[in-house]
Structures are given as C-alpha cells and as structure tokens.
Amino acid sequence: MANSFTRMINGRNTAVMMAMGAGTLASAFLLSDNTAAAERRRFYPPSADYPDLRKHNNCMALAMTPTIYAHLRDKATPNNWTLDQCIQTGVDNPGHPFIKTVGMVAGDEESYEVFAELFDPVIRDRHNGYDPRTMKHPTDLEASKITSGMFDERYVLSSRVRTGRSIRGLSLPPSCTRSERREVERVVVTALSGLKGDLAGRYYSLGEMTDKEQQQLIDEHFLFDKPVSPLLTAAGMARDWPDARGIWHNNDKNFLIWINEEDHTRIISMEKGGNMKRVFERFCRGLKQVEHLIQERGWEFMWNERLGYILTCPSNLGTGLRAGVHIRLPFLSKDPRFKKIMENLRLQKRGTGGVDTAATGDTFDISNLDRLGKSEVELVQLVIDGVNYLIECEKRLERGQDIKIPSPISQFRK
Amino acid sequence: CLKAIMPFGNTHNNFKLNYKVEEEFPDLSKHNNHMAKALTKEIYGKLRDKQTPSGYTLDDVIQTGVDNPGHPFIMTVGCVAGDEESYEVFKDLLDPIISDRHGGYKSTDKHKTDLNFENLKGGDDLDPNYVLSSRVRTGRSIKGYTLPPHNSRGERRAIEKLAVEALTSLDGEFKGKYYPLKSMTDAEQEQLISDHFLFDKPVSPLLTCAGMARDWPDARGIWHNDSKSFLVWVNEEDHLRVISMQKGGNMREVFRRFCVGLQKIEEIFKKHNHGFMWNEHLGYILTCPSNLGTGLRGGVHVKLPKLSTHAKFEEILTRLRLQKRGTGGVDTASVGGVFDISNADRLGSSEVEQVQLVVDGVKLMVEMEKKLEKGEAIDSMIPAQK
C-alpha cells in the first residue's frame, strides 16, 4: 500500500493528488455539519429504509439482512459512495427464478472493503464458496504455459478471451463523474497509442465516429451500444452516454478494447478459427504492454491479492476472464448428458449473441464458468481441455460410439 | 467514516470540485432541451458546489437532461427538482428555464391560485356527441419531504402512509379505497387496467434517468373513490397526482369535484402539520418545472375528424392556448379523429382561468367541427390570440 501511494504521489499529477487530499478534508468538515438532512437521516431508522426483497432472487437479496443494512447504511467510501447505491440495481431488478443475478455493484475500489459485510457473502455465493477473508487469488498471465491450444476447426469457428481492468484512483462506471470518466478515457487512449507492431491500432470515440465508421464496427461485431439492460441502467452505468465512451482496436482487428462501458476497460482478444493459444498469447502480451504503458505515467490497475482484479460487478472479480469458443456440436448438444458434462468441466454455454441469448442451430458459445480462485492460465487451460473433450465426444457420437461424463473438476487450487 | 446524506444521487459532490469546471461540464452539443439551452459554464461553475439541505446537487438536477438529448421538434425540460429547496438553491439555472417554458414568466412574477369552482362560467354543456370524456388532473407535493427523484425508501413509505391516512378518512362522494401496487391481486389489477386507472413502472428514460423508478413498486399505489370519478396516484412522478374524471362533457362537474376533493385532502394534511408545497411565486411545487403553478391539465377527449385536418388547426389551438395529444396521453397519436385537448399553460394563470380556456376553447372547436360537417367555412370563427 505504501508503495502504490508513493508512486501515486510521485507519478501522477501531484496537484490533483494534493487537491484531492484537501478536498477530502473539506468534504469531511462539510458533511459533519449538523444539517437538516443529517437530522432527517437520523429520524429514519435503518428499518424504515430497509428494502422489500421478498420477491427477489439475486445474490444481494439472499445475503442482505436487517442487521447488515443497519451496520452499513450510514457508511460511505472516501468518494462518498453508499450501500444504497451499491444495491439499487438489485432492489430495482428482482431477478428471475432460474437466473440468479448478482444484484449489486461497486462504485469504487473501497466499496469492497467498506461494505465487505455484504460483498463477502455475495462473493462466496457467486464464486462457489471463495472466501475473500481467508483465501488468496492467483494471477498468472504467462501464456507460454498453455498446452494443446489449437482446436479442430471443423468444430471450432472462433476463439476469444476477454477481461476487464479498472484504473486505480478513479471511480467505477456506476459512480464516476464526467471528468473521472474522461480521465479514464485519456489515460487508456494515451497508453494504447504506445502499442506497436501487431498491436498498433486506433481509437474511435462513440460520440464522434462517422456513420461509415459506425457501420464498419457493427459489421465487425465490435460496436457496443448504450446499455438497455435494466441491470446496468439501474446501476447508473449509462449516465452521460456517450460521453467518454469508445472503442479501440488494432489494425489486424484481433485485439480490441472497450472504454467506459460496464467497466473502465474491457480487453478482448479474438480471431476466427481454433488457435486459442495464439489468442491467449496476444491477450497476455497486450495486457502486459498496456499495464506497462499506464505505469510509465504513474497509473496502475486496481488489484489486490484477496480479490484479484477489481471490477464493477462482483461476478467479474479475480481474473475477470471469460475464455470461449463458438463451436458446432450437432450430436453432443442433443445428448441428454450434455448439461452434466459441461457442468463437470466447469463450462457454461451461451447463445452466439453472448449472455442471455439463445443458440442458433447447433452453434454454441462455450466458456469458463469461474472467474475467481483460479488463475488466467488455469482457466484458459481448463477451457482448452474441456473443449477438446467436447470435440472428442462429438466425434465419438458421429461414429456411433458411446461417451463418458468426466469426473467433476475441483473448485479451487489447493 | 464519512456520513452519507441521502442514498441516491451524486453524493460525492465535493469530490468533484477537485476537477475544473471544463472537465466536469456536460457535452450538450447535440442536445435540444430547456436545460441545455440555459446551462452555461458560468452557471455550472457557480452552482456546482451547492447542495440543498437534503443533499441534492446541480448534477442531480440536470442528469435527466444530459442523458436525454431530446428531439428536434419536441422541447423537453431536461431537469427536475429533488426537493422544494432545489428551486431556490439552483434558481440561477431554473429561473431561465421556467421563464422559457412558461411564456416569459419572470422571477419577480406572482402566481395566482384559484380553486373556487364557482368562478368557472359554464362548462356543463359541452356536446357529448363530440366530447367523449372530461378530466382534470394536478399534482401535489407534501411539504417537508424530498421529491421522487431523491427520496429514500423510508421517506417514500412515510409519504404513502400519510397519503393513505388522509385519503381513507374521506367520506361522502369521496369515500374510497387504496390499492398498493406491490400487493394488489390479479383481479384488482385487471379491474384497474380496464378502468384506465393503473399506472405502470415508468419506462420513459426521461423519468428513469431522473431516478423516479427506483425501488419500484415499493410505496406506490392508487386510490380511487367508489364511484370511480376521483383518483389519486401515490409516488409516481410526484408525491400525489390527483385526477377527477367522467364520461361526457360536463367539465363543470369534473372541476367541482376536483376542487372540493383537493381542498378536503389539503385540510387533512394541514392538520398533520404537512401542508402542500406552495409559494406565491411558483404556485404548487412539483418535480418537473413544467408542472409548476397550477400543475393542472384539464382536458377532454373530443371527436374532431374534420377540424383536425384543417390547415389552421394548429394555429387555432395556439390562439386558444390549448394543446393536443393522442388519446393515450403525452407522446401518443390520435385514434379515429379523437384528440385529447387540454390547456397548454400551467404557471401564471389560475386553475379557474385555465379550465375556462379549455371549456370555451373546446366549445368553439365543436362549433367549428359542426360547421365543417355542413361544408361551411370557419374562417370567421377563428379567434384572436388569447
């Protein structure tokens, strides 16, 4: 902590840091004023504000209790982000009996600390019992460790790895001010302009792109649009759209970064075909170079050894990594054991439009279920081994041979 | 740890002050709403370190206008109040918006309130062959509570409790029942939908971006009297929306019931030391600046198939100080030549004056419609600007 603090003081705009220090003191003074509002807040006990979660099915609603709410309601992070702001999306979106959403977001890095009493059980629930109080998350971006990363392209149509990164010291999308969001854009775009070779590329600001550029990005499936999902809008992530939002991609169009959508950055490496090893190699190389470039200017990514990389949604903590393929499995997908095989391999299927879409024909998006508790290398290897197993099953079924359900993979490394 | 004020909104306002005005100022270059027209960097710089006593800030006020650039033809307001004090603390921004929206209303002007239905002339004889239904609505805010964009669950529930207490104590023609949104039965819901009473969770981004749909459907509900002619919405876009309506053209009776009901409700709230938000400059204080003054929209559903296609229809409406909407309400299209015609003004004239304009104006337009049916010209009937 002392290390990063010193780096922040020396590296980044020192004036901003000094002002932030003064500002925090000033705000502390102002807020301790005995204003009518503070009176009103004390007039309403926590029980009066306790949300009605009886019809709700999300991780937040299942973890929330009146005691936790009473402990945390009047707390705030140093940026003044509150518990009510964390949980608003979960209150406004009761959820679905079959799909359990998370139901809360972080407004900044400190949210996970200040509101740990609620975040910790939610993290345990969502990440298969991972306990941030006692466990450590491994980070490993050494792509050379990957084996058998080339899939049979008669089945695998494309390969993709994505993650997110947050810039330490700036609030997250639910909470950020316009200038913070613009600062994220500046920091990241400046860093990306330093990428060279196969990673060299350019930035397209959402607000300023031409119609032609927009159409091109849509055709390439690169463009992200203003969020319409109430899960995101109720968390305030669409505020000020499209200010400071944009897309960067390299000239080869296989390394892509979204800026200020659901996270500060989403980093995507992808290509047609089955060379997952190359996709992951480029992913790791690109990530490391971007990290180096921001560090040169005194910035760094939000990360700690309890939670790994810090992102807006608790579901993306740890690696924030989703490695997946678009794959054709006409026989296997109709086999009644498909679901169990996937489950034991710790893989999930989605439609080819991404989360919450249906599959078209026999083509599926298959990716890792887990994010936290295993490293990037471990998860990508898991996907590679799992997908290879699925392809084996498919081939056997083609030949009229039987298939076996594999034994379940363990949750966390020992 | 620092103490929070209200749960929603940019509570970390002071933190923002470390960034320069230019860095925080919203990009309004593609915007067409009253807020975008009025907001300058100077005004933003002057107001951004201010908060109302409940902690509502300038960025809270303008968020809906930043998120909804608007339409080249329809000028939305683009800002909301979080509490009564918003109109004071942010007057440097809100006064020009109010002036622009309400026909040049000045910051020194006084607004007249007149809920004495006996001052209305006529209004009981609109031809029911043309006027299918009559309706008057307004909003009321309960003094001492923050408004829908800002209030916490505890406050919203307190407002509901007060409103229900007041409404269930009404008797006579106003005896009725409250239906909370979160616990109504399917049968009740069906009934309220077919009565056209039920309001749903706002989907308009104008409202959702201002935070008015938070915690839905907690503490929201509908109250109506047994004869289904007097209806109150609790905690939708305002604390209370009060509606008097009935089939046919007896606007006078609708307005009588409106005034009497409102005054009865206000008496009860005053007894509990919570009158309505009102001052002599802005009249009744509501969430959206467009509803200040009377907050009154008095209107009819009227059949005007011929007149509505006449070249001078828009001109006539403007001169009569009326506006048209589709029969689904704001932002809907008309169906079968039936229009929703109502007063355009809210601030600067009284309730009686506004309803008088509707009554006189609709009467005239029905006469015009009848003339056009007979193939006669209506040019001599076109009124001067009111």
Side-chain angles (χ1 to χ4, degrees), chain A residues 58 71 74 81 94 99 102 110 140 145 193 195 204 212 260 262 267 271 275 354 359 385 395:
Chain A
N58 56 54
H71 284 170
D74 295 329
W81 186 250
I99 302 170
V102 175
E110 293 83 353
D140 185 356
K145 295 178 183 171
S193 66
L195 291 174
Y204 301 85
K212 191 154 162 288
N260 285 320
E262 182 185 333
I267 295 111
E271 59 184 68
N275 199 340
D385 296 343
K395 287 175 173 169

Coordinates of all heavy atoms in Angstrom, one line a residue, chain A residues 58 71 74 81 94 99 102 110 140 145 193 195 204 212 260 262 267 271 275 354 359 385 395:
Chain A
N58 N -31.8 -12.6 -6.2 CA -30.4 -12.3 -6.6 C -29.5 -12.5 -5.4 O -30.0 -12.6 -4.3 CB -30.3 -10.9 -7.3 CG -30.8 -9.8 -6.4 OD1 -30.4 -9.7 -5.3 ND2 -31.7 -9.0 -6.9
H71 N -25.9 -1.9 9.9 CA -24.5 -1.6 10.1 C -23.9 -0.7 9.0 O -23.0 0.1 9.3 CB -23.7 -2.9 10.1 CG -23.8 -3.7 11.3 ND1 -23.3 -5.0 11.5 CD2 -24.3 -3.4 12.6 CE1 -23.5 -5.4 12.7 NE2 -24.2 -4.5 13.3
D74 N -25.3 3.9 6.9 CA -24.8 5.3 7.1 C -23.3 5.4 6.8 O -22.7 6.4 7.1 CB -25.1 5.8 8.5 CG -26.6 5.9 8.7 OD1 -27.3 6.2 7.7 OD2 -27.1 5.7 9.8
W81 N -19.5 7.1 -1.7 CA -20.5 6.1 -2.3 C -21.1 5.3 -1.2 O -20.4 4.9 -0.2 CB -19.7 5.2 -3.3 CG -20.5 4.2 -4.1 CD1 -20.5 2.9 -3.9 CD2 -21.3 4.5 -5.2 NE1 -21.3 2.3 -4.8 CE2 -21.8 3.3 -5.6 CE3 -21.7 5.7 -5.8 CZ2 -22.7 3.2 -6.7 CZ3 -22.6 5.6 -6.9 CH2 -23.1 4.3 -7.3
P94 N -35.7 -7.5 -9.5 CA -35.9 -8.6 -8.6 C -35.3 -9.9 -9.0 O -35.0 -10.8 -8.3 CB -37.4 -8.8 -8.5 CG -38.0 -7.5 -8.9 CD -37.0 -6.9 -9.9
I99 N -32.6 -17.6 -13.2 CA -31.3 -17.0 -13.4 C -31.0 -16.1 -12.2 O -31.7 -15.1 -11.9 CB -31.3 -16.1 -14.7 CG1 -31.6 -16.9 -15.9 CG2 -29.9 -15.4 -14.8 CD1 -31.9 -16.1 -17.1
V102 N -26.4 -11.0 -9.7 CA -25.6 -10.6 -8.6 C -26.4 -9.6 -7.7 O -26.5 -9.7 -6.5 CB -24.3 -10.0 -8.9 CG1 -23.5 -9.6 -7.7 CG2 -23.5 -11.1 -9.7
E110 N -12.8 0.9 -2.9 CA -13.0 0.8 -1.5 C -14.4 0.2 -1.1 O -14.6 -0.2 0.0 CB -12.9 2.2 -0.9 CG -11.6 2.9 -0.9 CD -11.2 3.6 -2.3 OE1 -12.1 3.4 -3.2 OE2 -10.2 4.2 -2.3
D140 N -1.9 -15.2 -13.1 CA -0.9 -15.7 -13.9 C -1.2 -15.5 -15.4 O -2.1 -16.0 -15.9 CB -0.8 -17.3 -13.7 CG 0.4 -17.9 -14.4 OD1 1.1 -17.2 -15.2 OD2 0.6 -19.1 -14.2
K145 N 2.7 -21.2 -20.8 CA 2.4 -22.4 -20.1 C 1.2 -23.2 -20.7 O 1.0 -24.3 -20.3 CB 2.0 -22.0 -18.6 CG 3.1 -21.4 -17.8 CD 2.6 -21.0 -16.4 CE 3.7 -20.3 -15.6 NZ 3.2 -19.8 -14.4
S193 N -2.0 4.3 -27.5 CA -1.3 4.8 -28.7 C 0.1 4.5 -28.7 O 0.8 4.7 -29.7 CB -1.5 6.4 -28.7 OG -0.9 6.9 -27.6
L195 N 1.2 1.4 -28.3 CA 1.3 0.0 -28.7 C 1.9 -0.1 -30.1 O 1.5 0.8 -31.0 CB 0.0 -0.8 -28.7 CG -0.6 -1.0 -27.3 CD1 -2.0 -1.6 -27.4 CD2 0.3 -2.0 -26.5
Y204 N -11.8 4.9 -31.6 CA -13.0 5.5 -32.2 C -13.9 6.0 -31.0 O -14.4 5.1 -30.3 CB -13.8 4.4 -33.0 CG -13.0 3.9 -34.2 CD1 -12.1 2.8 -34.0 CD2 -13.1 4.4 -35.5 CE1 -11.3 2.3 -35.0 CE2 -12.4 3.8 -36.5 CZ -11.5 2.8 -36.3 OH -10.8 2.3 -37.3
K212 N -20.1 6.0 -41.3 CA -19.3 4.9 -42.0 C -18.5 4.1 -41.0 O -18.6 2.9 -41.1 CB -18.4 5.6 -43.0 CG -17.8 4.7 -44.0 CD -17.4 5.4 -45.3 CE -16.4 4.6 -46.2 NZ -15.1 4.6 -45.6
N260 N -15.1 2.5 -20.9 CA -16.2 3.1 -20.2 C -17.5 2.5 -20.5 O -18.5 3.3 -20.6 CB -16.2 4.6 -20.3 CG -15.1 5.3 -19.5 OD1 -14.8 4.8 -18.3 ND2 -14.5 6.3 -20.0
E262 N -19.3 -1.1 -19.2 CA -19.6 -1.6 -17.8 C -18.4 -1.5 -16.9 O -18.6 -1.5 -15.7 CB -20.2 -3.0 -17.9 CG -20.6 -3.6 -16.5 CD -21.0 -5.0 -16.6 OE1 -21.4 -5.5 -17.7 OE2 -20.9 -5.7 -15.6
I267 N -11.0 -5.8 -22.3 CA -10.0 -6.1 -23.2 C -10.3 -7.4 -23.9 O -10.6 -8.4 -23.2 CB -8.6 -6.2 -22.5 CG1 -8.2 -4.8 -22.0 CG2 -7.6 -6.7 -23.5 CD1 -8.3 -4.7 -20.5
E271 N -10.1 -14.2 -32.7 CA -9.9 -14.5 -34.1 C -10.7 -15.6 -34.5 O -11.2 -16.4 -33.7 CB -8.4 -14.7 -34.4 CG -7.8 -15.9 -33.6 CD -6.3 -16.1 -33.9 OE1 -5.5 -15.2 -33.5 OE2 -5.9 -17.1 -34.6
N275 N -7.3 -21.3 -32.9 CA -6.0 -21.1 -32.3 C -6.1 -20.3 -31.0 O -5.6 -19.2 -30.9 CB -5.0 -20.4 -33.3 CG -3.5 -20.6 -32.9 OD1 -3.3 -20.9 -31.7 ND2 -2.6 -20.5 -33.8
G354 N -24.0 -14.0 -27.2 CA -23.5 -13.6 -25.9 C -24.4 -13.9 -24.7 O -25.4 -14.7 -24.9
A359 N -29.0 -20.1 -28.5 CA -28.1 -20.6 -29.5 C -28.8 -20.6 -30.9 O -30.0 -20.8 -31.0 CB -27.7 -22.0 -29.2
D385 N -8.9 -27.8 -22.4 CA -9.0 -29.2 -22.1 C -10.5 -29.6 -22.2 O -10.9 -30.6 -22.8 CB -8.5 -29.5 -20.7 CG -7.0 -29.3 -20.6 OD1 -6.3 -29.2 -21.7 OD2 -6.5 -29.2 -19.5
K395 N -17.0 -36.3 -31.9 CA -16.5 -37.3 -32.9 C -17.0 -38.7 -32.6 O -17.3 -39.4 -33.5 CB -15.0 -37.2 -32.9 CG -14.4 -36.0 -33.5 CD -12.9 -35.9 -33.4 CE -12.3 -34.8 -34.2 NZ -10.9 -34.5 -33.8

